[in-house]
Amino acid sequence: MRVIGIDPGLRCMGWGIVDILGSKVSHVENGVCKSEGSDLALRLLSLYEQLGDVFARFQPEAAAVEQTFVNSNGAATLKLGQARAIAMLVPAQNGLAVAEYAPNTVKKVVVGVGHAQKEQVAHMVRTQLPGVKTAGADAADALAIALCHAHHVQFSGRLEAAVAKAGGKL
């Protein structure tokens, strides 16, 4: 299964793709969509088009997006929410359900600590995907989101297998 993780952002939207084969997770590609344009509508359109191109090129089969948090700047939170809508719209247009993970959940799964720093997340992404070169912090975060979803999928598969082995009784 090919999974895309998306780290929503209005200026830079990170994306990272991994393949899951059994218990093995391997890096496919990662990058950053950088918004372009003189106003919000054009910036959102550029993110939409760039992310759509990523989907066309790599054809992910599952998508995961980081949930956003509300901060004290309401206008900034609203703009981030609009970028997040693009991050959810493009997978939906491609027929994919979108898993959502809180930032602390992603950090807990990838690093082992829910309040890890960005550098720790990037380090653990490099550890879990040996040889990976990320296109920046946003792409590393997106790969962490993809890894979080990969772990969730793998755990769900093991749980389903255990239930089936137990005859549907657990």
Side-chain angles (χ1 to χ4, degrees), residues 23-111:
S23 63
K24 185 177 179 211
V25 179
S26 59
H27 174 255
V28 175
E29 190 62 76
N30 69 86
V32 177
C33 302
K34 295 183 179 184
S35 65
E36 302 166 356
S38 57
D39 65 14
L40 179 60
L42 291 175
R43 292 173 71 192
L44 291 170
L45 177 61
S46 73
L47 290 173
Y48 170 80
E49 290 173 341
Q50 290 173 63
L51 192 57
D53 181 57
V54 170
F55 270 75
R57 284 188 291 146
F58 296 103
Q59 301 181 342
E61 300 164 277
V65 175
E66 188 173 73
Q67 293 174 338
T68 55
F69 57 91
V70 177
N71 62 32
S72 59
N73 183 338
T77 300
L78 182 58
K79 287 177 183 176
L80 180 57
Q82 292 166 329
R84 188 169 179 276
I86 299 298
M88 296 184 74
L89 173 65
V90 173
Q93 280 188 317
N94 285 273
L96 302 182
V98 180
E100 299 177 72
Y101 297 98
N104 286 351
T105 300
V106 173
K107 293 172 183 178
K108 181 95 171 162
V109 169
V110 175
V111 179

Side-chain angles (χ1 to χ4, degrees), residues 114-136:
H115 295 286
Q117 301 299 313
K118 277 192 170 285
E119 298 80 23
Q120 292 172 297
V121 172
H123 173 75
M124 289 307 293
V125 164
R126 289 190 302 272
T127 299
Q128 293 182 40
L129 300 170
V132 70
K133 293 193 183 340
T134 62

